[in-house]
Amino acid sequence: MDNMENIFMDPTGATEDATNHVAVRPETLDGVTVGLLWNRKYNGDKLLKSIGDLLKRELPIKEVLFQLAAESGKPTPATILDEVANQCDVVVAGTGD
C-alpha cells in the first residue's frame, strides 16, 4: 500500500485540485499516541470516546488525545490538523448522527 495515491474531492465548492497520499501506517499500535478528531456532529464525540476507551483497554497504547475539528460541515483549519499530526502517531476522525 505504500505510495498509494488518492484524489479527494471537496464538496464545498472549492475549485482547487489537491492530491493526497495515504499516510504510512505503523505495524503495531504498541506505545503510540492516538488522536481522536471529532467534527462536532451529534453523538460523534460519544463514538470516538468509546473507541478511545476500547483502545486503551485492549492495546498498550501510550495515550489518547481528543481534539475538536471545525464545526460540522466546514473544513478543519490546517493549524488544527498540523497540531494533531505533530502530537499523534495515528488519528481516528469521526462523525455522528
Side-chain angles (χ1 to χ4, degrees), residues 10-78:
D10 184 350
T12 61
T15 58
E16 181 180 318
D17 290 334
T19 300
N20 294 294
H21 299 276
V22 174
V24 176
R25 276 123 171 102
E27 290 185 25
T28 177
L29 294 179
D30 294 359
V32 301
T33 298
V34 177
L36 304 174
L37 184 62
W38 175 45
N39 75 345
R40 301 178 192 235
K41 287 196 84 170
Y42 185 72
N43 284 328
D45 57 333
K46 294 174 185 172
L47 173 64
L48 286 172
K49 287 178 181 177
S50 293
I51 291 170
D53 290 343
L54 177 67
L55 290 172
K56 287 189 284 189
R57 188 172 56 248
E58 299 291 328
L59 299 170
I61 62 174
K62 178 180 176 184
E63 185 176 13
V64 172
L65 301 176
F66 188 84
Q67 175 67 50
L68 294 174
E71 71 179 78
S72 178
K74 294 187 179 178
T76 300

Side-chain angles (χ1 to χ4, degrees), residues 1-15:
M1 275 195 167
D2 290 0
N3 298 325
M4 182 181 283
E5 190 173 290
N6 291 313
I7 297 175
F8 294 93
M9 307 294 281
D10 184 350
T12 61
T15 58

Side-chain angles (χ1 to χ4, degrees), residues 16 37 67-70 74-86:
E16 181 180 318
L37 184 62
Q67 175 67 50
L68 294 174
K74 294 187 179 178
T76 300
T79 53
I80 292 175
L81 296 176
D82 289 343
E83 181 181 333
V84 170
N86 288 329

